[in-house]
Structure formats: structure tokens, C-alpha cells
Amino acid sequence: MIAFIVRRLMLSIPTLIGVMVVVFLLLYVAPGDPVQDMVGERADAETIARLRKELHLDEPLPKQFVLYAGGVLRGDLGNSYITQRPIIRDIRERFPKTLLLAGSAMLLASVLGITIGVFSARNPGGWFDRLGLGLAYLGISFPVYWVGLILILVFAVTLKWLPPSGYGGVKYLILPAFALGSRSIAFLARVTRSSMLEVLGGDFVRTARAKGLRERAVIGRHALRNALIPIITVLGLDFGYYLTGSILTETIFSWPGIGRYVVNAIARRDLPAINGSVLFLSVVFVLVNLITDLAYAKADPRVAYS
């Protein structure tokens, strides 16, 4: 297993280098002057020239990239143009909040989605199955920002049960976690139902029932475990997406995570902050995919690391 992990990490290096090159070129070739955005329109030419020299923006593009890549290799993502703080420090402060939101959304989606899928598969065509399929279609159809706004309107503005936005205790986490996980609840319910229907028709399930095992044991220990591979795939992809793409949810609920940090950096053309955040999130996505591959072998011993 260690050899598999090392091989996957080595294979991820060209991917991360490609991400770094493409993002750097796209941002630095794009029109606009980050120094002008920093100092405003009233700054004199001497000040602008001094700042461009301090930030190495007057250097040729290849030399700028070499300086940036050298900093990355030393673990230095540079300083933000706007806050003047080290970017790695900003990421260290904000990523745990994004991780908390993504983990809560994924936990909620796993419990609700898999439960709905299992109960739907046990009685296909029944009232619970039809209700579950209807909710799944609605969950997949509604965009995250629309779900978030409806949740704020109902539970914060009308009922006043929960705060509409902000960061704090559990009550601040419920609405953004549900909004972020709503799509996964629907998708997991459909995937779990489909996978369970296929597994429940297998000979080993009929054998387990013929041996007199309780239905709960047949479903939990035999059927669900053999239906886990597609469920793990959905969990891995969605969790990676939540960690790297919860920008809309964090913006709607004013959640101080890394998604809002990236949005603010883009709006103010903070190039080092954008470069550092995208590179960091790419590393996170690679690690989530690696953990997902390891989970395959844990769920099904027939899956080999080779």
C-alpha cells in the first residue's frame, strides 16, 4: 500500500506543475494592472513604478515565474498584494472553516442520502421509493444558491429559528451545510438505490436470507457493503468539490472560508493570493482522490492497489 501511495504522489507532481504554470500564465497575461488596483487612480507614476519594482512586476514574465516557482518550492506562496500578509497564513486561518463546512455537509449528505437510498431499494415502487425519487429529482434540479436563499428566507427571515449568515456555533453551520449538501443528498440517494437494487438480487443475498439471518443483518453486513464502491466514488468526488468549490455557499452565508478568500482575491486582482489558493486547493483535490482510492480497497478486498 505504501508503494501505491508513493507512486500516486509522484504522479501528482506533473499535474500540480501544470496547474501552477497554467494559472500563472492566465493571470499574468490577462489585461489589467494589479498595482493600479492596489493604489487607486490617484496614485502618481513614481509610486506605481516603485511598487512594480518591489513586486517584481517589471521583470520579464519567465523571470517572474522562476521567482514564483522558487518560492513555492521553499513553501513560500508569497504575500497578498492587498493585506500584505503571507498567503500561507491566510490559508491556514481559513481552510479549517471550509473543512468544517465541507465535512458537515458531507456527513449530512451521507446519512440522509444513503438512508433514503437503502429504504427505497428495500421496497421498490412503494410510496417511500416514489417519495424518495421525487425528492432526489428536486434536489438535483435546484442550484445551490437558490436552495441557500430559500433556506435563509424560510428559517432565518420568516421563522427566525437560525441566523441568516455569519460564523460561530452549530446554529450558524446548519443552513450552509444543508444548502451545500443538498445536491449530494439527492445524488447519493439515487446511486445508493441503484446499487442496492443490483446487489439485492445476488445469490449471496438469497443465501444469507435462506440461512435465517435477520433482514437488518442482510442489508447492513452483506448488501450495503457490496454496494459501497459507487457510493464511495460519489462521496470522494463531492467532498473534493466541497473543499475546493464551495464559493457560492460561503458567499451567500458570509462564511469566512477559503472560497470567499478566493472570490475577494479575484475581485481585487490579488495575483499571489489567487495563485497560492488555486495551487493549495489542487493539492487538496489530489489528496482527496488518493484517500478515495484507498477507501475502495478497504470496502472491497477484491480491489488491488496495483
Side-chain angles (χ1 to χ4, degrees):
M1 184 175 72
I2 294 177
F4 171 78
I5 295 173
V6 172
R7 189 166 61 249
R8 285 294 304 273
L9 291 176
M10 294 297 291
L11 288 174
S12 68
I13 292 176
T15 303
L16 296 176
I17 292 175
V19 169
M20 189 168 62
V21 172
V22 170
V23 174
F24 182 88
L25 290 178
L26 287 177
L27 290 177
Y28 280 82
V29 172
D33 187 353
V35 174
Q36 194 71 56
D37 293 338
M38 288 170 58
V39 298
E41 297 180 354
R42 296 184 178 180
D44 56 87
E46 184 180 347
T47 302
I48 292 176
R50 179 177 56 81
L51 284 173
R52 290 184 62 81
K53 183 175 180 59
E54 289 179 3
L55 299 173
H56 303 291
L57 292 175
D58 58 343
E59 303 283 357
L61 193 62
K63 187 173 182 179
Q64 290 185 46
F65 180 75
V66 170
L67 291 173
Y68 173 68
V72 171
L73 291 176
R74 296 192 303 272
D76 179 15
L77 298 179
N79 290 347
S80 166
Y81 287 169
I82 307 302
T83 64
Q84 301 298 318
R85 285 157 46 102
I87 293 163
I88 196 73
R89 181 178 167 189
D90 288 341
I91 292 175
R92 195 164 54 232
E93 288 180 0
R94 291 173 175 269
F95 185 67
K97 299 179 177 65
T98 296
L99 185 62
L100 173 64
L101 177 59
S104 302
M106 209 66 255
L107 178 63
L108 186 67
S110 302
V111 172
L112 293 180
I114 293 175
T115 302
I116 293 172
V118 169
F119 279 96
S120 296
R122 283 190 62 186
N123 298 291
W127 68 269
F128 188 88
D129 184 30
R130 291 197 292 270
L131 178 63
L133 284 177
L135 293 176
Y137 281 122
L138 291 176
I140 291 175
S141 303
F142 293 153
V144 170
Y145 67 88
W146 189 87
V147 175
L149 294 176
I150 291 297
L151 290 175
I152 291 175
L153 181 64
V154 174
F155 293 100
V157 177
T158 305
L159 300 176
K160 300 185 185 304
W161 288 353
L162 295 166
S165 61
Y167 176 77
V170 176
K171 62 182 181 180
Y172 287 91
L173 182 61
I174 296 174
L175 291 185
F178 191 82
L180 185 61
S182 59
R183 179 184 170 278
S184 284
I185 293 173
F187 203 52
L188 274 172
R190 294 187 62 182
V191 170
T192 304
R193 178 185 181 276
S194 174
S195 185
M196 285 290 291
L197 283 175
E198 183 179 346
V199 170
L200 285 173
D203 292 337
F204 66 97
V205 173
R206 283 193 289 271
T207 302
R209 284 173 172 156
K211 289 165 63 179
L213 291 179
R214 292 182 178 180
E215 187 65 14
R216 182 180 303 176
V218 173
I219 296 295
R221 286 191 307 189
H222 295 274
L224 183 57
R225 178 165 187 177
N226 284 277
L228 277 179
I229 293 297
I231 297 173
I232 290 174
T233 302
V234 175
L235 287 173
L237 289 175
D238 280 359
F239 190 56
Y241 167 75
Y242 290 165
L243 286 174
T244 60
S246 55
I247 294 174
L248 279 177
T249 306
E250 292 185 359
T251 303
I252 291 171
F253 291 95
S254 298
W255 190 265
I258 201 165
R260 280 191 71 200
Y261 181 71
V262 173
V263 170
N264 292 332
I266 293 173
R268 305 180 70 174
R269 201 173 166 78
D270 192 347
L271 302 186
I274 300 172
N275 274 333
S277 301
V278 172
L279 184 61
F280 174 77
L281 293 175
S282 300
V283 173
V284 170
F285 203 83
V286 167
L287 292 178
V288 170
N289 282 335
L290 175 60
I291 294 172
T292 303
D293 287 344
L294 295 177
Y296 286 154
K298 185 68 176 176
D300 188 347
R302 293 172 297 180
V303 177
Y305 288 119
S306 60

